[in-house]
Amino acid sequence: MPPTPIAAPSPAAVPAPNNTASAPESFTAAPSEPTTPTLSVSRQNAVESAESYLSFSAFSRQGLIDQLKYEGFTAAQAKHGADSVGL
């Protein structure tokens, strides 16, 4: 049995192009979803290390920052780690 041909759409079924330069005044954009900023892997690691250190020993804020820097984190990463655990 031969295949059935598909009919072309009628001109009335094809939408007319929209040549307006701007959206109508009644147009309201949908609110964007709130986004959670993503942390770099190194900052995530600093947070995890800070949480780990505090789980077995008490640290002052500066002591924790110094420990994280000793472990190889930058000063900014170490401060972020301390901030994330509430110190």
Side-chain angles (χ1 to χ4, degrees):
M1 177 176 226
T4 306
I6 299 174
S10 66
V14 178
N18 184 357
N19 292 331
T20 60
S22 62
E25 289 185 33
S26 63
F27 175 79
T28 304
S32 63
E33 292 291 320
T35 57
T36 303
T38 56
L39 295 177
S40 66
V41 173
S42 57
R43 284 193 173 206
Q44 289 173 348
N45 290 340
V47 170
E48 291 172 9
S49 292
E51 290 170 344
S52 175
Y53 287 129
L54 292 176
S55 71
F56 67 85
S57 183
F59 280 88
S60 66
R61 175 179 170 76
Q62 190 59 50
L64 181 58
I65 290 170
D66 290 344
Q67 179 63 34
L68 292 170
K69 286 171 41 179
Y70 176 79
E71 294 296 323
F73 292 102
T74 66
Q77 293 164 347
K79 287 177 185 177
H80 177 78
D83 291 343
S84 294
V85 295
L87 289 180

